[in-house]
Amino acid sequence: MPVVFDGSPPNAMQSSHTHTPLTVLSGQELSQEIKSFISGVDTVQGRKLSVREHARCAIRLLRSVPACRGAVLEHLRGVYDEHVSVFLHNLETDGDANSGLSSNLEDIIQEVHGVLTEFIRLNPRAWAPLVSSWAVDLLGQLSSKHAGRRVAPHSSSLNELLQLWMSCAATRSLMEAYSQCLAAMLAWCPDACVDALLDTSVQHSPHFDWVVAHIGSAFPGTIISRVLACGLKDFCSHGAKDQGLVVNGVDKGSRVPKIGSVVGILGHLAAHHSDSIRKELLRMFQESLSPSSPMSPTSSSTSWEGSPQLRRAAVPFLLQLAAMSPNLFGAVSAELVELLRPPVLLQLHSLLQGLPRDELDNMLGLAVHLICQSPSGGARVLRFLADTATPASVIISGPTPSPHEGVREGCDSLLQMLLLHLHKLVYNRSDGADGHTHHSASPQPQIVIPFLEELQTHVGELCAETLRLERKRHLWLHQLLCLLSVYGGPSVATEALCQLLTQARNPEELALAWQLHNTLSSCMAGLIPAAVTHCVAQIHTHTLGSRPLRQLLLNLAIVIQSQDEDRKGTQDAHSTMAVQVGSSVSVHLHDFSPLLLHGDPAVSHAAVRLLSASPLPRTSSPAHLLMLSRAAVAHFFIAVRRRGEVGKAGRDGGQAAESVSCSVQLLSRFAAYSPLILKAVLQQLVEGVLHKGNAGLFGGQIADMSGAPVASQSGSPDIGASLLDINCRFGTTVNFSGSVWSVFHAGVIGKGLKMRTNTTQPDPSGVTLNIQTFLTVVVQCCSSSGLNGSRSPSDPDEPPPINAEAAKVVAATLVENVCPDVANGELSWPPEEHARTTVERDIHIRRCFEAHPVLFTLLQVVAAGRPALCYCSAVLRGLMATLLAHWEASREAASTDSPWHLRASCVLVSCMGEGQLLPPVLANVHEAFSHLAPFEVRLLLLAVWEYVRANGPMPQKFVFNPEKGLFYRDFSRDGDVARYVSPIHSVLHKNIDRLGHLCWRFQL
């Protein structure tokens, strides 16, 4: 009996079907239909059947004789192919796909679709597997056959390709039939349907990709999970004997046919369903490690979770997928690292322990390859490997507990293999590029290593981890840092070296910078200059904070200072780097000099330490030199002030004292550099010590223009005087100095005299220390060979002599600041009675000396640099005149009752004797001042005045002694000294009881 389905074919593939009674064919009619179908000839009329008639005959057999379905479906392949050919031909010729033969066959396609849809609905278990295999295979054949047609888009243009095929009735019918079969088979047999899809994808890819994309979009959850499951089963069956892997970029997985299709399908779905793919991949990884085999809600009886063999192969399968698709690896790599906690690592370790050695090595090699090709998350993977591979004795930052020993050894091996593989890639990449450039005009593009590409943005973090100096860990990271520097070229190498120099906090950490330079110096020239330039750029852009800036400057100073140790027998590599750093820093001294005035004392200290250790440049512009000198002098006074503040606060002043000593060393080295710098430094030192902001450091007081100390605003009451009125009366008039029109501002008429200034007395010990420090720096600068190359003394134990030209600079600056209106040629002294014509100027000079005791120290320095004291003649004369006036007017019983004037008189005569403005017999008179009465002191000073007036202080009277490198004055060429000594002898005779022990000092 023939089998007849009760129902008519669906109309035009619509969801609602109109059922009409179907005529039951007799046996003879069935026999005729079969003969006509097989022969293609109408048995009744004896003519050949048309394509349309032959197709309808096949449809009647498909309805009436199910046993013929295989042959019928095979015949219908030609019908579908004919329809597709005409469809594409019409597009290529007329641009109209609905003309000609296509319209005659479209109703046949619709009838076939309706019959198949009804059969699948009524009996899915019988028809769905058959129709799904037939439909998907036919789709693959049609896609591949017509892929080269002119109207067919390229296989990579999935959207255009999908639009083309879905506008064709034949391929649209096949796609909808397969979708119906897949929906029907999901509940009881999804693997068969997905297997057919995978097999066809392997055979007809990439022309079949549009089918996969459409089906995957319609059933994303099912397709993803079932594609992975089918791929795993196929991988396991093939991998039992020859498991294919992708290692070092070479595809060895061609013997596993379906895995390529799995990668393609998931790659197409990743654009819109990446989150589902990521979750499914992670679920497969977790399920493979779970000790039990729970069944997921969507899994069937054939699910892979129930097979131990499949569970063991899941991890290698996932590795293979990741190796073949970087997109899939990137989707799961970030969360995969988070999943690898100690319990998961233990499960993974126990799973891998059962693998043969060669398979385990292959897996490690594949994992290394994946890490190297990872475009993102490389820093996180590196931190995970380093933390896990670090020995248990090392404290790991963060809440990560100590890993199992077996897990630690595995990560250690993986990290070692990673470093070895990166070493090969980096150096083979460089060698290949170099070798190619010698033989070809067009350079070959170098191999890109995504892992190192991403790490280039984490150089600072990598350097910080390296500097932790944890056992084994810092060795791995330092080796990786070297490879990253070689790979990234000079820019990355410079950044790495700068980071190490900035972040190193002790000599052990700084040694890593030495090692990095030693490794890179063989393949990279000019690294140190580039690194110093990069550091200077960071300083200019204020990229570094105070603490890293201070550390950078200190480390540079330590590197430069290591040259002294290198000369004592340290390694040559250190010496080479120290010399290069020193020469590079010397080029940028003008860039580092503003840091001397940085607001943070620690940064300022580090800057002066660096500049004091750095060699000076061979050539430099005058503008840069003057900027350096100004910054160095300003820092000197700042350092002296900070030293005093730290001492008052009771804190440890080690850093402050070191800043002062480094500042002294810096100024002395600057002064020896060139005559220009020597003059600038000495002028700025003298001006700085007399500046009102620094006067208190050296025992001085703030003085006004007249030299008188200025009262503080808080202590002076408002006397009602008008500043405008005073300026109108005195400020606009000409100052006839020395004339009867001279005006002394002793007060305001009607308000009384000016009030005395209540000044706070500074710490005497601090003032003494500051003056000694200032004297040290001035003497060192004046003893340098910056001007006229002063010779060193013959005796090495003797201090070097004061340079005459340098002392002259100090003298000129002193005169200019103490008495600006003095002419340079005003060297001779007038008679004592004529001194009253310059009384105002003389009082101003005396007040300056009262306000600035350090001026006496400067006079002593000038006196030592003969004949420079001659240029201070006006200052000496003015001070002497005021002292003579004081001693003449004094009514005290002893000179000791005027301590300041006594000291000033003694120092003045002593300096004149040291500067050889006086012969020795007159230069010793100051020794008797403390034993005499005021009028007797005046007599002795008057004798000194008369001698200097008669024998003017002229530099031409001095003769240079080349043996000692000093100027000397021959007093025998002057007049008779006896007449100037007679007042001294009279005073001695009168006070013989007190001055008898000094008589020998005044013999001619």
Side-chain angles (χ1 to χ4, degrees):
M1 286 291 294
V3 180
V4 178
F5 288 94
D6 186 12
S8 62
N11 183 18
M13 294 180 282
Q14 295 181 0
S15 57
S16 59
H17 305 281
T18 305
H19 299 282
T20 58
L22 180 64
T23 304
V24 179
L25 299 178
S26 63
Q28 184 179 359
E29 291 175 338
L30 284 177
S31 177
Q32 290 178 356
E33 290 289 345
I34 293 174
K35 289 179 182 180
S36 298
F37 173 75
I38 295 175
S39 62
V41 178
D42 188 348
T43 56
V44 178
Q45 301 180 4
R47 61 179 179 84
K48 186 178 180 180
L49 297 175
S50 64
V51 176
R52 187 173 183 278
E53 293 172 342
H54 203 168
R56 289 196 177 276
C57 178
I59 294 174
R60 287 192 293 272
L61 287 178
L62 184 62
R63 286 179 174 275
S64 304
V65 188
C68 298
R69 58 187 178 184
V72 171
L73 292 177
E74 188 65 27
H75 173 74
L76 291 177
R77 287 175 181 265
V79 177
Y80 276 75
D81 180 55
E82 183 68 21
H83 179 270
V84 170
S85 299
V86 174
F87 172 79
L88 296 177
H89 177 74
N90 292 337
L91 285 179
E92 292 172 347
T93 55
D94 303 332
D96 185 6
N98 298 318
S99 61
L101 185 60
S102 175
S103 60
N104 294 330
L105 291 180
E106 187 167 351
D107 58 341
I108 300 297
I109 299 298
Q110 294 173 356
E111 286 189 44
V112 173
H113 180 76
V115 172
L116 295 179
T117 301
E118 187 68 16
F119 286 171
I120 296 170
R121 184 181 65 81
L122 295 177
N123 192 0
R125 289 186 177 269
W127 284 94
L130 176 65
V131 174
S132 64
S133 300
W134 171 77
V136 77
D137 185 60
L138 182 55
L139 281 171
Q141 291 181 1
L142 294 176
S143 301
S144 298
K145 178 179 179 181
H146 299 285
R149 300 292 289 266
R150 181 166 56 87
V151 294
H154 192 268
S155 58
S156 61
S157 304
L158 284 184
N159 290 332
E160 298 178 8
L161 203 61
L162 189 61
Q163 290 179 5
L164 172 69
W165 290 121
M166 291 303 289
S167 63
C168 177
T171 51
R172 184 172 67 250
S173 170
L174 293 173
M175 184 68 77
E176 294 181 359
Y178 178 79
S179 300
Q180 185 181 3
C181 294
L182 181 58
M185 296 172 64
L186 285 179
W188 48 274
C189 186
D191 289 346
C193 199
V194 176
D195 276 338
L197 184 67
L198 290 178
D199 292 337
T200 308
S201 178
V202 171
Q203 184 178 359
H204 297 286
S205 183
H207 312 297
F208 188 70
D209 292 348
W210 70 275
V211 179
V212 178
H214 182 75
I215 296 298
S217 300
F219 305 93
T222 302
I223 290 297
I224 292 172
S225 60
R226 301 320 307 172
V227 161
L228 285 175
C230 292
L232 175 60
K233 293 177 182 178
D234 188 74
F235 178 84
C236 185
S237 62
H238 286 81
K241 296 182 179 180
D242 49 357
Q243 207 177 87
L245 296 175
V246 176
V247 181
N248 297 336
V250 179
D251 186 3
K252 300 182 179 180
S254 59
R255 295 185 294 268
V256 187
K258 289 187 179 180
I259 194 167
S261 182
V262 172
V263 170
I265 293 173
L266 296 181
H268 295 318
L269 298 179
H272 301 286
H273 305 282
S274 58
D275 190 59
S276 300
I277 294 175
R278 175 181 53 82
K279 292 180 180 179
E280 190 62 30
L281 290 173
L282 293 176
R283 188 191 70 83
M284 176 175 281
F285 174 74
Q286 292 176 304
E287 292 293 338
S288 67
L289 300 180
S290 178
S292 59
S293 56
M295 302 295 290
S296 64
T298 59
S299 61
S300 63
S301 59
T302 60
S303 177
W304 63 272
E305 291 95 334
S307 172
Q309 183 181 6
L310 293 178
R311 294 164 65 84
R312 286 193 300 269
V315 173
F317 170 69
L318 292 176
L319 283 175
Q320 183 67 28
L321 280 181
M324 297 178 67
S325 175
N327 293 332
L328 295 180
F329 177 63
V332 300
S333 59
E335 290 195 22
L336 184 60
V337 174
E338 298 297 330
L339 285 177
L340 294 178
R341 296 302 178 186
V344 178
L345 289 174
L346 283 177
Q347 296 173 2
L348 184 60
H349 175 66
S350 60
L351 176 67
L352 299 180
Q353 271 186 329
L355 295 179
R357 182 65 183 178
D358 56 343
E359 293 185 13
L360 185 59
D361 291 341
N362 287 338
M363 286 187 60
L364 288 177
L366 184 57
V368 167
H369 172 74
L370 288 175
I371 295 174
C372 293
Q373 298 302 319
S374 173
S376 62
R380 183 180 300 180
V381 173
L382 177 62
R383 177 181 289 274
F384 164 74
L385 291 177
D387 288 344
T388 310
T390 302
S393 59
V394 178
I395 300 176
I396 302 175
S397 62
T400 306
S402 179
H404 185 266
E405 186 63 23
V407 175
R408 190 198 65 77
E409 292 178 356
C411 283
D412 191 343
S413 301
L414 182 61
L415 195 53
Q416 295 285 1
M417 292 179 63
L418 174 62
L419 292 175
L420 180 61
H421 185 62
L422 287 174
H423 188 277
K424 293 179 181 179
L425 290 178
V426 169
Y427 284 96
N428 290 341
R429 167 183 179 269
S430 301
D431 295 342
D434 294 341
H436 185 80
T437 55
H438 291 297
H439 298 88
S440 176
S442 60
Q444 181 180 2
Q446 294 185 341
I447 301 174
V448 176
I449 306 175
F451 177 71
L452 295 181
E453 287 286 339
E454 199 229 344
L455 283 184
Q456 290 184 21
T457 60
H458 300 276
V459 174
E461 301 172 12
L462 185 59
C463 291
E465 290 294 323
T466 305
L467 291 173
R468 289 169 59 185
L469 296 181
E470 295 176 349
R471 183 163 60 95
K472 296 185 69 174
R473 179 192 184 96
H474 80 280
L475 299 178
W476 298 327
L477 297 180
H478 191 269
Q479 184 179 354
L480 180 61
L481 190 62
C482 294
L483 294 174
L484 183 61
S485 301
V486 175
Y487 174 80
S491 60
V492 177
T494 299
E495 175 67 19
L497 189 58
C498 287
Q499 289 290 343
L500 292 179
L501 289 174
T502 303
Q503 300 184 29
R505 293 165 295 179
N506 52 58
E508 291 77 13
E509 295 180 359
L510 189 58
L512 295 178
W514 298 99
Q515 297 172 14
L516 179 65
H517 173 260
N518 296 340
T519 304
L520 300 179
S521 58
S522 59
C523 59
M524 204 172 295
L527 181 58
I528 293 297
V532 174
T533 303
H534 184 71
C535 294
V536 170
Q538 288 185 322
I539 293 173
H540 284 317
T541 56
H542 303 284
T543 306
L544 300 175
S546 295
R547 181 171 296 180
L549 177 58
R550 167 187 174 273
Q551 196 64 55
L552 171 63
L553 299 176
L554 288 178
N555 289 336
L556 290 175
I558 292 173
V559 172
I560 296 175
Q561 290 171 347
S562 65
Q563 296 182 63
D564 298 334
E565 300 178 2
D566 297 332
R567 298 187 186 101
K568 300 176 182 178
T570 317
Q571 299 178 2
D572 294 338
H574 287 197
S575 177
T576 303
M577 180 178 176
V579 171
Q580 292 184 14
V581 171
S583 61
S584 300
V585 170
S586 67
V587 177
H588 296 280
L589 283 185
H590 60 281
D591 296 306
F592 289 103
S593 61
L595 298 178
L596 292 172
L597 308 180
H598 197 277
D600 189 345
V603 176
S604 177
H605 165 256
V608 72
R609 184 173 171 183
L610 171 62
L611 295 181
S612 64
S614 171
L616 298 177
R618 294 184 178 181
T619 59
S620 184
S621 66
H624 289 168
L625 294 176
L626 293 177
M627 182 176 65
L628 285 170
S629 65
R630 285 194 297 268
V633 172
H635 175 269
F636 168 76
F637 292 107
I638 293 174
V640 170
R641 180 179 300 279
R642 286 173 179 166
R643 181 179 63 180
E645 293 174 352
V646 170
K648 291 180 181 179
R651 301 192 300 268
D652 183 16
Q655 178 176 306
E658 186 181 8
S659 294
V660 174
S661 62
C662 290
S663 184
V664 172
Q665 180 183 359
L666 176 62
L667 288 173
S668 61
R669 293 177 66 243
F670 274 176
Y673 181 72
S674 70
L676 174 65
I677 291 295
L678 175 59
K679 290 182 179 180
V681 167
L682 290 176
Q683 289 175 354
Q684 291 161 14
L685 281 174
V686 176
E687 293 172 357
V689 78
L690 299 179
H691 190 271
K692 61 181 180 180
N694 302 323
L697 298 175
F698 304 94
Q701 303 172 5
I702 302 176
D704 60 11
M705 294 184 62
S706 65
V710 178
S712 62
Q713 296 295 330
S714 59
S716 59
D718 183 12
I719 58 177
S722 170
L723 178 63
L724 177 61
D725 181 58
I726 294 175
N727 289 337
C728 290
R729 282 182 290 163
F730 300 117
T732 59
T733 59
V734 179
N735 182 15
F736 297 96
S737 179
S739 68
V740 296
W741 302 106
S742 297
V743 180
F744 300 97
H745 296 277
V748 178
I749 297 175
K751 301 296 182 179
L753 297 174
K754 287 183 179 180
M755 295 184 61
R756 286 287 182 180
T757 304
N758 297 324
T759 58
T760 58
Q761 296 297 327
D763 180 22
S765 60
V767 170
T768 303
L769 178 61
N770 293 342
I771 293 178
Q772 290 177 350
T773 304
F774 178 75
L775 179 62
T776 300
V777 68
V778 172
V779 169
Q780 289 187 8
C781 291
C782 292
S783 302
S784 63
S785 58
L787 283 172
N788 295 340
S790 62
R791 298 177 53 184
S792 300
S794 57
D795 187 358
D797 295 333
E798 293 183 6
I802 299 296
N803 186 283
E805 291 295 328
K808 181 180 177 181
V809 173
V810 176
T813 309
L814 187 149
V815 173
E816 182 180 354
N817 284 271
V818 173
C819 192
D821 59 343
V822 173
N824 292 332
E826 194 175 344
L827 301 182
S828 61
W829 287 35
E832 187 271 338
E833 59 272 11
H834 293 172
R836 67 191 63 182
T837 59
T838 58
V839 62
E840 183 179 2
R841 187 180 73 184
D842 297 343
I843 292 175
H844 171 80
I845 293 174
R846 189 204 68 194
R847 286 177 174 176
C848 285
F849 275 85
E850 287 179 344
H852 302 284
V854 73
L855 287 174
F856 291 107
T857 304
L858 287 175
L859 280 181
Q860 293 172 340
V861 174
V862 174
R866 296 188 292 267
L869 193 62
C870 297
Y871 300 97
C872 292
S873 177
V875 174
L876 299 177
R877 185 178 71 243
L879 183 58
M880 179 78 75
T882 57
L883 292 175
L884 286 171
H886 170 77
W887 294 122
E888 182 180 12
S890 176
R891 297 297 179 263
E892 303 292 344
S895 61
T896 54
D897 294 332
S898 300
W900 187 90
H901 296 82
L902 176 61
R903 176 178 177 272
S905 302
C906 293
V907 174
L908 177 61
V909 175
S910 174
C911 289
M912 296 176 68
E914 176 68 21
Q916 293 192 351
L917 301 186
L918 299 175
V921 66
L922 291 178
N924 298 330
V925 296
H926 68 279
E927 300 178 11
F929 285 170
S930 60
H931 305 283
L932 302 177
F935 77 95
E936 294 173 327
V937 174
R938 179 182 180 276
L939 290 176
L940 299 186
L941 288 178
L942 194 58
V944 171
W945 181 288
E946 291 299 327
Y947 177 85
V948 177
R949 185 187 66 82
N951 303 277
M954 301 299 175
Q956 295 83 357
K957 297 182 178 182
F958 290 81
V959 180
F960 182 70
N961 186 344
E963 294 181 358
K964 296 185 178 181
L966 293 174
F967 286 87
Y968 290 93
R969 179 177 177 180
D970 186 4
F971 289 98
S972 62
R973 298 182 179 181
D974 296 335
D976 185 16
V977 186
R979 67 189 185 96
Y980 305 106
V981 181
S982 56
I984 301 176
H985 289 167
S986 300
V987 173
L988 287 175
H989 292 162
K990 181 181 179 182
N991 301 279
I992 193 66
D993 55 335
R994 297 192 304 272
L995 302 179
H997 64 287
L998 297 177
C999 291
W1000 67 276
R1001 301 281 287 167
F1002 303 100
Q1003 296 179 359
L1004 296 176

